[in-house]
């Protein structure tokens, strides 16, 4: 609601009175929707100071290290709930009762299979294609299988689309991996949990039985939970912008996948592993720590600190516990994991890192966990996309359920040529 007004003055003349809106938490926002009528637009590259929407899904206070979904703190959800319960909360706004959870879980479980014709889509990709290329294409193609359920103005159809996407993303992700390594696709099994089913489809083969470790399944479930939503980031904003045009949900989620694919967004944990490979051994840790402290050295420690969380990443504490549980369970002797643990020790004890608040973040720990489980780095962003699908579709559904939504149309500060005379080609 508008509690007060802001006056915009230019050369001492008030040209607009703009309402100041207050949410339930966070910064107040100045409503500039009428500013264009006064002949002005705002200029905000990257939209770093612009609220593009009203949302009741996720709240972040980076300075205080706060991340909440529908008001529930992320650490509580990661410790006390499973991923499907978090999905229900993001979609519906409230924690489910036991019967609501069981019904939701059954719906998702019974939609995990994909149409057999979809299997043939993978044959069009080269075996060395990046898994994100496959996922982006196949998710967009899902709309061709559900012609009768694409009315975005029908809340029930929107929810059925949401259920299908949440259910089928692990299947599609695992199929992309299997295709890339030349193994047969593994079909989902209804008796397994969401995380167990994903690991089963990733690592089992027809020739022998595969038993899912409860520790690894819980670790995967927490990775899904901790990446489920993160407010109005680049990929979520992309999904909203695509959805504002009336595009079908599968096209919108494919757009989100494409945005997440960018290394500045979804590739952070992959960048952590690349950094560990560059360091290579315990003997070189001190050398690279010194490089990180040197202002004149371009080297950066990936996975430390966070551009949103200025104090600490609230997801990292849970992920750290899970990381050490996984490493203890597997007992892996991997020099890169030894390097990672050495870097963690430095970051938690070295005064320089403490002063600069360069703490290990969720990407650091999730990268270590995924490597330990045996997931290749080119699948890291795929798993991120799979986890984030529920956040994307929740924001898409929220946007379409709000009255008066308009197609997204950002403005610009034009700096090009104007009123040039065009000379025909024969005279140039």
């Amino acid at each position: 609601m508008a509690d007060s007004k802001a006056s915009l003055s230019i050369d001492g003349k008030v040209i607009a009175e703009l309402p100041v809106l207050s949410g339930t938490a966070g910064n107040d926002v100045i409503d500039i929707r009428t500013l264009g009528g006064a002949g002005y637009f705002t200029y905000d590259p990257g939209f770093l100071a612009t609220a593009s929407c009203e949302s009741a899904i996720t709240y972040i206070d980076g300075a205080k290290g706060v991340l909440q979904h529908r008001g529930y703190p992320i650490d509580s959800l990661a410790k006390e709930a499973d991923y499907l319960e978090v999905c229900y909360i993001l979609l519906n706004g409230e924690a489910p009762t036991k019967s609501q959870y069981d019904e939701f879980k059954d719906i998702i479980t019974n939609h995990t299979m994909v149409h057999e014709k979809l299997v043939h889509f993978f044959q069009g990709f080269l075996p060395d294609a990046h898994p994100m290329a496959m996922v982006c294409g196949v998710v967009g193609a899902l709309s061709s299988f559900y012609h009768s359920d694409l009315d975005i103005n029908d809340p029930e159809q929107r929810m059925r689309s949401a259920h299908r996407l949440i259910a089928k993303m692990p299947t599609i992700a695992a199929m992309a991996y299997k295709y890339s390594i030349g193994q047969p696709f593994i079909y989902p099994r209804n008796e397994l949990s969401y995380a167990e089913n994903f690991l089963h489809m990733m690592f089992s083969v027809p020739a022998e039985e595969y038993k899912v470790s409860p520790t690894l399944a819980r670790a995967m479930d927490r990775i899904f939970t901790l990446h489920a939503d993160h407010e109005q980031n680049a990929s979520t904003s992309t999904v909203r912008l695509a959805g504002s045009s009336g595009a079908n949900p599968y096209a919108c989620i494919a757009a989100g996948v494409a945005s997440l694919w960018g290394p500045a967004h979804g590739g952070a944990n992959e960048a952590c592993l690349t950094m560990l490979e560059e360091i290579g051994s315990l003997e070189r840790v001190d050398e690279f720590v010194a490089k990180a402290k040197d202002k004149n050295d371009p080297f950066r420690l990936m996975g430390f600190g966070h551009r949103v969380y200025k104090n600490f990443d609230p997801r990292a504490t849970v992920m750290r516990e899970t990381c050490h549980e996984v490493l203890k369970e597997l007992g892996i002797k991997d020099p890169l994991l030894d390097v990672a643990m050495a870097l963690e020790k430095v970051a938690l004890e070295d005064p320089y890192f403490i002063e600069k608040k360069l703490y290990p973040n969720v990407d650091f720990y999730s990268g270590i966990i995924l490597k330990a489980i045996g997931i290749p780095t080119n699948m890291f962003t795929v798993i991120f996309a799979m986890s984030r699908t529920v956040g994307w579709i929740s924001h898409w559904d929220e946007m379409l359920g709000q009255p008066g939504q308009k197609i997204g149309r950002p403005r610009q500060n034009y700096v090009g040529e104007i009123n040039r005379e065009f000379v025909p080609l024969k005279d140039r």
Side-chain angles (χ1 to χ4, degrees), residues 62 64-67 74-75 226-227 230 303-320 357 359-365:
K64 296 180 180 178
V66 172
L67 170 59
I74 188 61
D75 54 342
L226 295 173
H227 291 87
H230 211 239
F304 293 82
H306 198 282
R307 60 190 176 89
V308 172
Y309 301 108
K310 304 306 181 185
N311 190 5
F312 68 95
D313 185 341
R315 302 166 296 175
T317 302
V318 177
M319 203 80 277
R320 180 177 185 271
K357 297 181 180 178
Y359 45 81
N361 62 31
V362 70
D363 299 310
F364 177 78
Y365 291 117

Side-chain angles (χ1 to χ4, degrees), residues 59-127:
Y59 171 63
I60 294 173
D61 186 333
K64 296 180 180 178
V66 172
L67 170 59
Q68 297 180 357
H69 296 323
R70 302 289 191 178
Y72 300 110
I74 188 61
D75 54 342
S76 296
L77 293 175
K79 292 178 180 178
E80 305 297 335
D82 67 11
Y83 177 66
L84 287 186
E85 191 171 358
V86 174
C87 288
Y88 184 97
I89 289 169
L90 288 170
L91 283 171
N92 298 286
E94 298 290 341
T97 64
K98 179 64 166 60
S99 61
Q100 288 171 331
Y101 172 78
D102 290 341
E103 180 184 9
F104 181 73
K105 184 178 180 180
D106 286 345
I107 290 171
I108 300 302
T109 300
N110 290 323
H111 279 90
T112 53
M113 289 188 67
V114 297
H115 195 289
E116 197 65 17
K117 288 291 184 182
L118 197 71
V119 173
H120 301 298
F121 277 64
F122 288 90
Q123 307 304 320
F125 294 100
L126 293 175

Side-chain angles (χ1 to χ4, degrees), residues 243-263:
S244 75
S245 74
N248 72 73
Y250 306 100
C252 294
I253 298 306
V257 173
S259 177
L260 188 72
W261 194 356

Side-chain angles (χ1 to χ4, degrees), residues 148-164:
S148 62
D149 227 8
L150 296 178
D151 183 358
I152 63 172
N153 296 310
D154 182 347
E156 292 186 3
Q157 291 191 39
R158 294 204 303 267
M159 193 56 67
R160 285 197 292 269
S161 296
H163 293 161
R164 288 193 186 101

Side-chain angles (χ1 to χ4, degrees), residues 215-229:
T215 301
L216 301 191
R218 182 58 179 159
M220 282 306 314
D221 191 88
R222 282 183 171 173
I223 286 175
F224 297 159
T225 293
L226 295 173
H227 291 87
D229 190 49

Side-chain angles (χ1 to χ4, degrees), residues 46-48 50-60 67 69 229-241 259 265 307-308 388 391-392 394-396 398-399 402:
F47 309 110
L48 301 182
T50 299
S52 62
C53 63
E54 287 187 344
S55 180
I57 296 173
T58 295
Y59 171 63
I60 294 173
L67 170 59
H69 296 323
D229 190 49
H230 211 239
E231 205 218 61
Q232 307 306 318
N233 51 77
S235 57
T236 300
S237 298
T238 298
V239 171
R240 278 184 173 263
L241 193 60
S259 177
H265 188 7
R307 60 190 176 89
V308 172
R388 184 57 57 85
W392 291 334
S394 297
H395 283 274
W396 172 83
E398 179 185 59
M399 177 189 70
Q402 293 171 334

